Amino acid sequence: MIELKDITRIYSLNSQPVHALKNINLKIHKGEFVAIMGTSGSGKSTMMNILGCLDRPTSGVYLLNEIEVQHFDEDELASVRNRQIGFVFQQFNLLSRMSAFDNVMLPLVYAGVPHEARIEKAESYLRLVGLGDRMRHLPTQLSGGEQQRVSIARALVNDPTIVLADEPTGALDSHTSAEIMTLICELHDRGITIILVTHDPEVASYARRVVRLKDGEILSDEKNSSRL
Ligand SMILES: Nc1ncnc2c1ncn2[C@@H]1O[C@H](COP(=O)(O)OP(=O)(O)OP(=O)(O)O)[C@@H](O)[C@H]1O
Ligand SMILES: [Mg+2]
């Protein structure tokens, strides 16, 4: 369902080229759970931005559900994102003046989902992530783990086929991190494709496949035998 063919991404910094990704070839099938690892600066976020249609490659082909999206303009990319991709970030990125419920409801407002259906969906996803009794709390009234659960509910509410998570447990302690990973595994069990960036081998151990980047290239791509 995801295929990167000879993808390069060259940033230009003070008119110097920075080769962040070099001829990346990668296939990820529907329902896979992949961890992307690699040292700082190896190109992980650059790759996630391209996979998530937040950025376009300099060259190469990106097939997302059999459609070439590398030439899509901003509006077309936004529409692909809204329909197919859920994002989870290290710093949760919740709106601080809005309750958990309103944060989860927001993507449904943008998607034009009718009022009643919106309420039902936001509530059901908050219950799914274990926050049925915290819906009216503001982000500041929630723990880090609870905030990340809200952001996961928000990522899921438009029924994406893919969830992209860049260091989703980076701001959490190890116990809370394990809880969030258990939740992410449950999403994988429901058939959602998960692609997750992490520095943490413990977090990567939940994935079924680990892709390692180095200097913008794929260093290794291995099945995680302990999870099969
Ligand atoms: N907007 C930009 N302009 C110029 N260079 C950039 C830009 N964004 C990233 N880079 C460079 O591209 C390379 C890859 O960066 P990227 O953010 O993908 O790394 P990363 O693997 O996500 O690192 P980290 O683990 O620190 O988040 C780095 O050398 C970085 O300095
Ligand atoms: Mg990064």
Side-chain angles (χ1 to χ4, degrees):
M1 68 159 344
I2 283 179
E3 187 168 6
L4 301 178
K5 292 188 199 170
D6 264 332
I7 289 283
T8 63
R9 178 66 170 100
I10 304 173
Y11 297 109
S12 123
L13 190 67
N14 309 322
S15 63
Q16 291 292 313
V18 179
H19 293 257
L21 292 177
K22 303 168 190 164
N23 302 97
I24 296 284
N25 288 289
L26 183 70
K27 261 189 204 175
I28 296 174
H29 295 105
K30 189 169 160 36
E32 276 201 83
F33 181 176
V34 182
I36 314 263
M37 299 189 79
T39 51
S40 182
S42 57
K44 304 182 298 295
S45 294
T46 302
M47 186 148 116
M48 289 296 259
N49 289 342
I50 290 173
L51 290 173
C53 297
L54 292 161
D55 184 26
R56 277 177 301 216
T58 309
S59 63
V61 174
Y62 175 14
L63 281 165
L64 177 57
N65 295 325
E66 281 82 52
I67 295 168
E68 289 195 14
V69 298
Q70 73 273 8
H71 299 306
F72 276 20
D73 67 23
E74 294 290 332
D75 289 348
E76 290 168 323
L77 288 177
S79 146
V80 174
R81 284 199 302 273
N82 294 341
R83 282 182 288 112
Q84 310 203 35
I85 303 169
F87 294 92
V88 178
F89 303 96
Q90 179 171 357
Q91 297 302 337
F92 324 134
N93 292 14
L94 299 173
L95 295 177
S96 58
R97 289 164 192 271
M98 289 175 103
S99 68
F101 179 79
D102 288 334
N103 267 284
V104 175
M105 186 113 113
L106 202 56
L108 298 169
V109 176
Y110 291 138
V113 175
H115 189 68
E116 292 295 314
R118 233 158 51 205
I119 294 175
E120 206 169 296
K121 268 200 126 170
E123 285 181 355
S124 79
Y125 277 101
L126 279 161
R127 278 197 294 270
L128 175 80
V129 300
L131 289 179
D133 57 348
R134 293 281 192 280
M135 298 197 199
R136 302 292 161 193
H137 287 233
L138 294 172
T140 50
Q141 297 164 336
L142 295 168
S143 70
E146 289 168 345
Q147 289 181 62
Q148 194 59 300
R149 286 171 188 278
V150 175
S151 89
I152 290 171
R154 180 185 56 185
L156 293 176
V157 84
N158 276 335
D159 300 315
T161 53
I162 305 164
V163 167
L164 298 179
D166 199 341
E167 294 280 3
T169 60
L172 304 174
D173 63 59
S174 59
H175 174 75
T176 314
S177 167
E179 282 177 8
I180 292 295
M181 289 315 299
T182 303
L183 176 58
I184 289 178
C185 287
E186 284 168 22
L187 307 182
H188 171 242
D189 292 340
R190 294 163 79 100
I192 298 174
T193 308
I194 313 274
I195 307 174
L196 161 152
V197 164
T198 184
H199 282 103
D200 183 348
E202 181 70 30
V203 169
S205 75
Y206 287 86
R208 305 304 200 267
R209 176 178 170 194
V210 180
V211 174
R212 283 194 173 73
L213 294 182
K214 185 169 185 256
D215 300 332
E217 295 179 294
I218 294 180
L219 183 68
S220 65
D221 180 351
E222 288 167 350
K223 289 238 177 338
N224 183 357
S225 46
S226 63
R227 289 276 163 185
L228 293 175

